[in-house]
Amino acid sequence: MDVLASLLAGSSLGIPQALMLAFLLLFVPTLLFFRARVRAGKRPFLRPLPAFARLRGLVGLAAESGRALHLSLGTGGVHGTAAAESLAALDLLDAAGRQAAAYGARPLVTTGDPTLLLAAQGVLRGGYEEQGLPGEYDHLSARLVAPEPAAYAAGVMDTVNHTPLAAHLMAGRFGDEYLLMAEAAAHQGLEQVGGAAQPPVLPFVQATAHHPILGEELFAAGAYLRGDPAHVGSLLAQDWMRLLLVVVIVVGIVVKTVLV
Amino acid sequence: MRRILPTTAALAAGFLVLLDLFIQNPYLDLIGWVLTDWAAILAAFALLAGAYNVLASHFRRVGRRQEGWPYSLILILALWVVLVVGILDPSGPQGDLVSWVFRYVQFPLQATFFALLAFYMATAAYRAFQVRRPEALLMLVAGLVVLIGQSPVGAWLGEALPRAAQWVVAVPTTAGVRGVLLGVALGTVATGLRLLMGMDRPYAR
């Protein structure tokens, strides 16, 4: 580390930035390699994730019952630290929205961030346009509830309690308010798909959702639901980079133990 | 053109801000600062669209006399009152009147709401245990060990429970959380790279 520090002293890079740059320089070719492999037809086996498999059934349920399919996208936006979770939630919405447009089901999306609201409206509109039904799109099928977590939970609970719903999906950035909304849906007897990446929220997801999406599984939504080479390739790249990190951690432990 | 222009703009902005993170250069610093500032301005415009969306959806609920419509009416009135008060107050949103609304209405309501969490946790745990999933049983046992081990009753019962509670928090919980965080970090990096390389274009859907 001292050698690395002395090398970096001459440049404008700090050690954390240099490590991040090295990590990115490894990640990018790995991602490109696996995307090319998937494009060439070498698709990997993806272990079944019941939550993603159930999505089509829930859209069908909504279409048959005439009730809305509710998707709560949380309080994160498409900027800042919650962006990745919000974008992963948009992948879920993208698949649900396309299927809803195809089956004639009614989606209802609630969000706590105005930037995510605009993105969600764009995704829903895209689903209807793809089916050749732009007139069917209702701009109020995606709604901003409130940016504060407690107010957001209160608004979503009101929606769950007073709107006829077929199922309740939650994916994105959540805090403790997740449990309040999930319990409201449970009291209504709704089938729930819950997805979150923040560790403090995961016990709530596990305890309340019929089909939980835990941690990094949320980021696999695009690969499972869309299956395009970029998403599947990045999923494989993540696995290999994880393996590399595990090796680095184990080697670090061994070196530290032997040298000290 | 409808796709090329936003994609090019997004890729250029993303790369410039990323470069600014790695390279110390006054021009890149300025570009990075300006782009971040623009993002904040765009988010403010999104807030206006959001306020319109809130009003439109609640006006629709009132107009159609849907279940719970009086609450929507209260929300519309409250929104306008706070907005007008904020505009009329010379100190703006930081003024005494708006602060009063937040201090004596918003914050107590939020605190009350989150105080319900403990009861919701109990019912959720009860339901999870009813489902009889092995994970739920494991969660219940770990929860009980930590709850009793960290309370005075645990210490009164002997040394084993507090030690077990400490072990559950320090070893399996920390290991699990670190594993989850590692996976989430990798997922975040992959999402960012897909956007930066133009493989994923949520803005062009």
Side-chain angles (χ1 to χ4, degrees), chain B residues 114-182:
Chain B
F114 276 118
L116 295 170
L117 211 59
F119 301 101
Y120 279 87
M121 272 183 203
T123 54
Y126 175 72
R127 196 174 310 103
F129 189 54
Q130 270 187 326
V131 177
R132 292 176 186 170
R133 281 189 297 210
E135 299 96 332
L137 180 66
L138 202 66
M139 208 164 79
L140 186 81
V141 171
L144 281 176
V145 167
V146 173
L147 195 70
I148 300 170
Q150 289 187 341
S151 66
V153 181
W156 180 74
L157 285 170
E159 283 186 8
L161 266 175
R163 274 188 190 170
Q166 212 175 359
W167 180 82
V168 167
V169 173
V171 183
T173 307
T174 308
V177 166
R178 283 181 185 170
V180 169
L181 287 176
L182 199 68

Side-chain angles (χ1 to χ4, degrees), chain A residues 140-174:
Chain A
L140 292 181
S141 56
R143 294 174 189 173
L144 179 73
V145 177
E148 290 292 328
Y152 175 69
V156 170
M157 287 166 79
D158 178 63
T159 301
V160 167
N161 289 328
H162 294 120
T163 312
L165 298 175
H168 179 66
L169 287 79
M170 286 201 278
R173 171 64 70 89
F174 296 96

Side-chain angles (χ1 to χ4, degrees), chain B residues 33-84:
Chain B
W33 180 80
V34 167
L35 287 173
T36 317
D37 216 33
W38 283 0
I41 294 167
L42 285 173
F45 276 107
L47 194 63
L48 281 178
Y52 165 74
N53 180 276
V54 170
L55 282 172
S57 56
H58 284 277
F59 267 122
R60 179 188 277 186
R61 194 176 176 193
V62 172
R64 291 180 179 177
R65 295 289 189 273
Q66 285 170 340
E67 197 183 337
W69 67 268
Y71 300 113
S72 289
L73 200 60
I74 293 169
L75 185 140
I76 293 165
L77 289 173
L79 196 152
W80 280 113
V81 166
V82 176
L83 189 70
V84 169

Side-chain angles (χ1 to χ4, degrees), chain A residues 17 144 183 206 226 234, chain B residues 21 123 127 133 194 205:
Chain A
Q17 288 153 309
L144 179 73
E183 277 298 281
Q206 182 66 34
R226 250 193 281 166
S234 83
Chain B
L21 184 77
T123 54
R127 196 174 310 103
R133 281 189 297 210
R194 279 201 314 267
R205 277 178 204 164

